[in-house]
Amino acid sequence: MPAGLKLRNPFAMECGVYKTTYEQDMALHPTPLSRLRLAAMLAVFVLFPLMADPYYVSVANLIAIAAIGAIGLNLLTGFTGQISIGHGAFIGVGAYTSGYLTSQLGVPFWVALPLAGIAAAVVGALFGLPSLRLKGLYLAMATLAAQVIIEFTMYHWTAVTGGSRGLLLTSPSLGGFVFNSEIRYYYLFLALTAAAFIFAQNLTRTRVGRAFMAIRDRDLAAEVTGIELFHYKIMAFAVSSFYAGVAGTLWGHYLTVISPEHFTISTSVEYLAMIIIGGLGNVTGSIFGAAFMTLIPILLRGLSKAMTGVFPNIETVINALREFTFGATIIIFLIFEPEGLAKMWKNIKDYFRLWPFSY
Amino acid sequence: MTPPAGQLVVEKLILHFGGLTALSGVNLEARPGEILAVIGPNGAGKTSLLNCISGLYHPNSGTITFGQKDITKMPAPTRARLGIARTFQNIELFRHMTVLENLMLGRHIHLKTGVLAGGLYWRWAQSEEVQHRRVVEEIIDFLEIERIRKKTVGTLAYGLQKRVELGRALALEPKLLLLDEPMAGMNTEEKEDMARFILDINEERGVTVILIEHDMGVVMDISDRVAVLDFGRKIAEGKPEEVKENPEVIKAYLGGKDLQLTVV
Ligand SMILES: Nc1ncnc2c1ncn2[C@@H]1O[C@H](COP(=O)(O)OP(=O)(O)OP(=O)(O)O)[C@@H](O)[C@H]1O
Ligand SMILES: [Mg+2]
């Protein structure tokens, strides 16, 4: 072979990509292919609402809100190994804080949004205190208690929460620009979800995120490497609940009405399902999980509508199936793909990475 | 006169587990810059002693002094910050993370990036990562594990995992390194590599090493002094050749039906 002829095959998509600096090696999108994929995805996300029916845009909006909450829960449960059955309630804390601040005190949405995140973070950190002593199932029980206590507060602190009637919220506005259509919400949510995603990606590849994972994997070893367990567990609860608070705020201002039944234990369980199905300890997976859990009931509803002509009682059957499907899907994932949709996505990427020599 | 940095003094250490006495009044000194081997039959209390030094167990009485500081009551992470690092008898790596991530975690105490800076990945968060990545790469070179740096540690062979765990401890830049059976379960070649690493760490970086090891050949070869534990008591201490001849030591090992000593 003549000198200078590189062994690089021009048809293979990613062979012989050499990295010369640590910056390149640590980049989230180190190769031309991954940058191309990122650009294509961004283009799809930006163009999507211009082409899609508003109904689908509204579905995307729900997915975006759920994705933020799921990324947050994944930071706590997937990355730090601390289970929370209280996330439904932490989301509620965000929604009510922002609702109260904007409707009762006239605070602008843009100020209320971070404040609601902080309020949820404080409450989450507080209910995370038992994680110093409790692990696994016992911690789950403690966070379940958080869920119950916060739900109780939502019903009974009527001066702030409006009790079971709930609160009315307004659409956010910027100058004279009001976010009052699906498409406007879409771009707001897209930006915030992207920010939430990037923040989590960065956090999990730097000092604090690594400490989270160390605690999840081996807490004894984490301690002797200098990681104060308590400090980082509480931090994980706080960061995670901040995400929950932001998700709750967006949810409230999007639906413009909130009441306690939006923030029940079944919400908590749905979020847990999202991160299990999407992939524990995987930021991208949280988004897949959020999409999956949002789409399943919609698909089931569509199915039942389509079939009522033929089977008049199908509606009730499929409604019952809804819970069943959730449960069954979680179990199927736990057994067959414990790393979730994120792992499947990785397999697909790996297949194409060396395509056409993917053996 | 101030005692040098790597010095560890353990005095009258007593540790009970319910009715069981794991350590009954152990005195031990690791002199700065030496390799001190701690040997003894199974269940003698070697690991318990190491756990007390690194802060995972809290003794019922006695004191532990490191440098000039009384560290007896300090939590484990604070001791790590003082420069005490360790490996475990049963490997305690962060299984789901890569070799690189494990070593970067070893540098945890030297990093500063918090939640905000890390999440935003501001310029200096990145430069901190790069700067410490360099240190970690040096350790990777030293331990000859270049080819596995991006592998998830859970997938690695046992001998390599032991090496990575040593690397993680090294990344902390310890003054005192506690090694709990670093060569257990290894073949001869792997043991020789490990022994070489330990000697290099001790000589080139001046790290004080406390080494628990069952393989007497290794102990005799690389340690400056040997302390022998039996039933939670120190029954002998001294140069390797002296300890080997000590009748009480021979009795302890023969009594425990552990004939490794006679192989030497
Ligand atoms: N966490 C614990 N709880 C109860 N007993 C313990 C605990 N840790 C150690 N022990 C007991 O203390 C005694 C000393 O154990 P240790 O692990 O320190 O021995 P060792 O010298 O390291 O033995 P080996 O050579 O088998 O590793 C043993 O009887 C052991 O069962
Ligand atoms: Mg032991």
Side-chain angles (χ1 to χ4, degrees), chain A:
Chain A
M1 182 178 291
L5 185 64
K6 297 225 177 70
L7 273 169
R8 178 163 183 177
N9 184 312
F11 300 108
M13 297 194 81
E14 192 181 301
C15 284
V17 176
Y18 297 110
K19 298 157 187 166
T20 48
T21 67
Y22 293 136
E23 282 89 341
Q24 277 171 29
D25 193 38
M26 296 181 324
L28 283 178
H29 299 282
T31 65
L33 176 67
S34 63
R35 277 194 293 274
L36 191 71
R37 193 171 51 225
L38 182 71
M41 261 170 14
L42 268 181
V44 169
F45 284 139
V46 170
L47 296 178
F48 166 75
L50 304 176
M51 307 185 183
D53 184 271
Y55 172 73
Y56 293 110
V57 181
S58 74
V59 173
N61 285 338
L62 291 176
I63 292 175
I65 297 171
I68 295 176
I71 292 172
L73 182 59
N74 217 339
L75 286 175
L76 179 68
T77 304
F79 283 92
T80 321
Q82 311 297 304
I83 193 166
S84 163
I85 314 190
H87 251 61
F90 299 150
I91 290 170
V93 171
Y96 276 101
T97 306
S98 176
Y100 183 76
L101 288 175
T102 53
S103 307
Q104 308 295 315
L105 305 181
V107 175
F109 167 82
W110 308 101
V111 178
L113 177 68
L115 287 180
I118 291 169
V122 170
V123 172
L126 201 68
F127 283 107
L129 288 176
S131 67
L132 174 62
R133 301 264 163 195
L134 306 180
K135 280 185 188 176
L137 218 52
Y138 297 97
L139 180 62
M141 294 308 288
T143 56
L144 178 62
Q147 175 72 41
V148 173
I149 291 168
I150 295 171
E151 244 180 81
F152 181 88
T153 313
M154 288 176 193
Y155 275 109
H156 295 279
W157 195 15
T158 38
V160 170
T161 64
S164 53
R165 301 224 315 279
L167 281 184
L168 289 177
L169 285 78
T170 51
S171 300
S173 61
L174 194 60
F177 185 86
V178 186
F179 291 86
N180 55 3
S181 69
E182 291 296 346
I183 198 164
R184 290 178 178 188
Y185 274 114
Y186 177 88
Y187 286 113
L188 173 64
F189 292 171
L190 179 64
L192 289 172
T193 309
F197 175 76
I198 294 167
F199 190 92
Q201 285 278 44
N202 286 336
L203 187 67
T204 52
R205 64 191 179 124
T206 47
R207 176 172 167 271
V208 175
R210 277 193 300 260
F212 286 173
M213 292 185 270
I215 291 172
R216 171 196 69 192
D217 278 8
R218 275 276 180 271
D219 51 2
L220 280 188
E223 275 196 281
V224 301
T225 31
I227 293 164
E228 296 89 358
L229 297 188
F230 187 54
H231 180 89
Y232 283 96
K233 282 181 183 176
I234 297 305
M235 202 188 285
F237 267 97
V239 174
S240 170
S241 306
F242 183 91
Y243 272 80
V246 169
T249 305
L250 299 183
W251 167 269
H253 289 272
Y254 176 61
L255 292 188
T256 66
V257 55
I258 51 172
S259 62
E261 70 255 28
H262 294 137
F263 311 109
T264 59
I265 180 162
S266 80
T267 313
S268 296
V269 172
E270 264 172 47
Y271 274 89
L272 278 171
M274 285 178 208
I275 62 171
I276 290 170
I277 292 170
L280 286 171
N282 189 299
V283 179
T284 317
S286 324
I287 298 180
F288 293 148
F292 190 91
M293 289 296 288
T294 313
L295 289 174
I296 283 287
I298 291 171
L299 291 179
L300 284 179
R301 216 176 304 138
L303 193 68
S304 70
K305 270 217 191 91
M307 285 165 62
T308 30
V310 196
F311 309 99
N313 282 335
I314 199 78
E315 186 101 38
T316 33
V317 178
I318 291 203
N319 262 340
L321 267 181
R322 197 187 109 116
E323 309 289 325
F324 175 81
T325 318
F326 283 172
T329 325
I330 295 174
I331 291 169
I332 288 170
F333 268 92
L334 283 176
I335 295 173
F336 294 106
E337 190 53 281
E339 290 175 63
L341 291 168
K343 182 64 186 300
M344 297 183 179
W345 169 236
K346 185 175 177 294
N347 290 345
I348 295 170
K349 278 198 303 190
D350 285 348
Y351 180 82
F352 282 106
R353 201 153 58 97
L354 298 172
W355 187 86
F357 304 108
S358 34
Y359 40 80

Side-chain angles (χ1 to χ4, degrees), chain B residues 17 20 22 40-49 57 89 180-181 214:
Chain B
F17 291 110
L20 186 126
N42 292 116
K46 305 179 296 294
T47 299
S48 300
L49 176 64
Y57 287 173
Q89 185 169 351
D180 197 347
E181 305 198 14
H214 278 297

